[in-house]
Amino acid sequence: MHNTIEKAAGKLGILTPGLGAVATTLIAGVEAVKKNLAQPVGSLTQMGNIRLGKRTENRFPKIKDFVPLADLNDIVFGGWDVYSDNVFEAAMKAKVLEPMLLHAVKAELEAIKPMKAVFDRSYISNLDGDHVKQAATKADLAKMVMDDIENFKEANDCARLVIVWCGSTEIYLEPSAVHETIENFEEGLRNNHPAIAPSMIYAYAAIKLGVPFMNGAPNLTCDIPALIQLAKQTETPIGGKDFKTGQTLMKTILAPGLQARALGIKGWFSSNILGNRDGYVLDHPDNFKTKEVSKLSVLEDILQPEMNPELYGEIYHKVRINYYPPHGDNKESWDNIDIFGWLGYSMQIKINFLCRDSILAAPIVLDLALFSDLAKRAGMSGIQEWLSFYFKSPQTAPDLRPEHDIFKQLIKLQNTLRHMMGEDLITHLGLDYYQDLMEAM
């Protein structure tokens, strides 16, 4: 396949609906890295290695040296937001990064001003802003977003674009008839159907133009039949959903280990406090439900209680998120895990994770942007399940159970890259090492 991957020539535009804490942390971070002021820690594309061939060959190149990714110096940022603050102003208000670092890249950040957002308080009632598009129909709004995308590409001399949703969590929506076909969806746009949320309008605009779209929130967005169908028609990579940071990251690391050891779990109680804009939005029960569904699905899919009822059949899993302004972007989570082992004897695990939400999310946005651009250039359209590594609720083909085990997700991602570049896939079987030894004897 590597002979068919287009080169990463020219500028890559990364557009984010939402220029809040996550997006501004990403942009400021990339600009700081470009000036050698910091390292892109947490970014697999920039700092991760990949094994090629047998262990005895000792080939472990950086991923960015193995696959043809866009260079950080070729990236141009833009986006939409309900507030008119430029990226420097928004980053200062987010209070994620130190002012000294932000001032070191102030000129670059001030130059990035948000485009007016598609926004409706019906979907995020705890958020408000006046930097918002006005139009008679949702179809008109979609056309305005498409115009924004094309104008940005031309104004910044971009060869390619990708879009990563960094906006707030919308209210919980169930798939319905308007989401079933592209014809129904486009009619719904013209008729202002209430089941078409702003995030879907962005996704539709991007996919219609063939621009890769990744969903970083738990909203129902590009994971509907209509937009999956459209992505196939326009040969556009899509993926989601909900960036895997903080507490859920810990769950996808720990739960596979407990399952691998066949240790039982009676209960897993998870509590969070968060004080940034995301925390405020999630303080509303309708928006929290969207996040809750995403967070609860992880354990069920990893443990599969129906297959192991003796170990996980009676697990009690509860998730709580509380808005706590003093913590700002510094999320704190507590997990109490009641497990049992040999002969049913009980044990406990307690985790107190003091994390920085946007610090963990920013490199995910970068990796998704670079990998989705790679997928587009490699002719890989539709759902990109190999990027499940980055999501709480990985988007998969219909009726296909998602893989939540982070270690299996990493194997899938790395094998996809090996496949792209014509390298042997790695199964970790390893019998050939010992077969060679036996024949030598």
Side-chain angles (χ1 to χ4, degrees):
M1 180 186 283
H2 67 287
N3 291 327
T4 64
I5 301 176
E6 296 178 9
K7 293 182 178 180
K11 295 180 183 178
L12 172 66
I14 299 178
L15 292 170
T16 63
L19 282 169
V22 172
T24 59
T25 301
L26 162 71
I27 297 168
V30 170
E31 295 302 332
V33 170
K34 285 157 66 172
K35 290 188 172 185
N36 295 314
L37 299 174
Q39 292 292 320
V41 178
S43 169
L44 198 64
T45 61
Q46 303 305 301
M47 303 199 76
N49 294 78
I50 183 169
R51 177 187 139 199
L52 304 178
K54 294 184 177 182
R55 280 178 276 170
T56 51
E57 296 177 26
N58 291 316
R59 290 195 293 151
F60 296 92
K62 293 279 190 187
I63 288 176
K64 66 179 181 179
D65 297 327
F66 173 57
V67 293
L69 299 174
D71 188 272
L72 296 190
N73 290 300
D74 292 330
I75 291 176
V76 182
F77 290 105
W80 299 264
D81 202 87
V82 298
Y83 302 109
S84 60
D85 298 332
N86 64 49
V87 169
F88 176 77
E89 293 167 336
M92 288 291 287
K93 289 180 180 178
K95 297 180 180 178
V96 177
L97 301 175
E98 295 293 333
M100 184 177 295
L101 178 63
L102 293 176
H103 278 277
V105 291
K106 182 178 180 180
E108 291 83 356
L109 302 188
E110 284 185 329
I112 304 172
K113 299 176 175 61
M115 295 174 276
K116 287 187 175 182
V118 174
F119 178 71
D120 186 335
R121 289 198 70 192
S122 302
Y123 303 90
I124 307 178
S125 61
N126 278 7
L127 195 63
D128 201 2
D130 55 10
H131 196 63
V132 177
K133 295 185 188 302
Q134 303 293 335
T137 70
K138 293 181 178 181
D140 294 330
L141 289 171
K143 177 62 168 61
M144 293 168 74
V145 173
M146 285 189 271
D147 289 343
D148 286 344
I149 294 170
E150 292 182 317
N151 291 338
F152 179 89
K153 183 176 183 180
E154 182 178 355
N156 292 277
D157 192 28
C158 293
R160 307 171 315 284
L161 298 172
V162 297
I163 295 180
V164 183
W165 174 270
C166 294
S168 297
T169 299
E170 296 169 334
I171 62 171
Y172 183 74
L173 292 174
E174 292 275 4
S176 59
V178 73
H179 305 129
E180 281 300 313
T181 67
I182 191 59
E183 291 79 16
N184 288 1
F185 188 84
E186 289 179 337
E187 182 180 356
L189 287 172
R190 292 188 291 270
N191 295 330
N192 292 330
H193 198 289
I196 297 179
S199 65
M200 296 180 191
I201 296 174
Y202 282 103
Y204 170 81
I207 298 167
K208 189 79 171 178
L209 294 175
V211 175
F213 185 92
M214 297 285 134
N215 179 20
N219 321 318
L220 186 69
T221 302
C222 59
D223 51 332
I224 58 175
L227 295 186
I228 295 171
Q229 175 189 346
L230 183 62
K232 291 179 181 177
Q233 292 176 5
T234 61
E235 299 182 338
T236 305
I238 58 173
K241 56 186 181 177
D242 204 2
F243 299 140
K244 182 157 55 184
T245 61
Q247 191 171 64
T248 306
L249 175 63
M250 294 295 103
K251 285 182 179 177
T252 60
I253 293 171
L254 184 57
L258 296 174
Q259 184 203 39
R261 278 297 315 273
L263 294 171
I265 303 176
K266 294 179 181 178
W268 197 312
F269 186 88
S270 301
S271 182
N272 302 261
I273 56 175
L274 178 64
N276 63 11
R277 189 192 300 178
D278 191 33
Y280 182 58
V281 167
L282 293 174
D283 205 37
H284 193 284
D286 292 341
N287 300 85
F288 171 71
K289 184 179 180 181
T290 309
K291 177 68 76 171
E292 183 183 34
V293 170
S294 175
K295 291 171 78 72
L296 286 174
S297 66
V298 172
L299 283 187
E300 182 176 343
D301 283 314
I302 291 175
L303 301 174
Q304 299 181 64
E306 70 281 1
M307 294 177 58
N308 296 282
E310 303 90 347
L311 298 176
Y312 314 114
E314 297 182 3
I315 185 172
Y316 181 82
H317 185 202
K318 179 67 72 174
V319 176
R320 288 280 184 265
I321 300 177
N322 296 290
Y323 178 55
Y324 183 63
H327 264 225
D329 196 67
N330 297 337
K331 179 191 290 185
E332 185 166 4
S333 65
W334 295 268
D335 287 85
N336 179 84
I337 311 156
D338 288 288
I339 69 173
F340 59 94
W342 185 249
L343 307 181
Y345 277 74
S346 297
M347 295 171 276
Q348 276 192 332
I349 300 172
K350 295 183 185 293
I351 303 171
N352 180 203
F353 188 19
L354 287 77
C355 70
R356 296 175 181 265
D357 206 45
S358 297
I359 293 296
L360 292 170
I364 290 179
V365 182
L366 177 62
D367 285 359
L368 287 171
L370 295 180
F371 278 144
S372 60
D373 173 57
L374 173 67
K376 175 73 174 180
R377 288 183 284 112
M380 298 170 64
S381 60
I383 299 167
Q384 304 297 303
E385 192 196 342
W386 64 285
L387 297 177
S388 296
F389 179 77
Y390 297 104
F391 296 113
K392 289 188 185 79
S393 299
Q395 186 174 349
T396 62
D399 301 320
L400 180 64
R401 187 184 68 84
E403 179 57 72
H404 282 282
D405 182 326
I406 195 170
F407 305 104
K408 292 177 182 176
Q409 290 174 335
L410 180 61
I411 291 171
K412 181 189 291 286
L413 187 154
Q414 291 178 332
N415 270 337
T416 301
L417 298 179
R418 294 182 185 108
H419 173 67
M420 281 185 183
M421 302 305 292
E423 288 280 345
D424 291 338
L425 307 188
I426 293 180
T427 65
H428 301 285
L429 185 63
L431 292 179
D432 51 335
Y433 300 115
Y434 301 96
Q435 185 65 36
D436 292 345
L437 180 62
M438 291 298 292
E439 290 176 355
M441 294 175 63

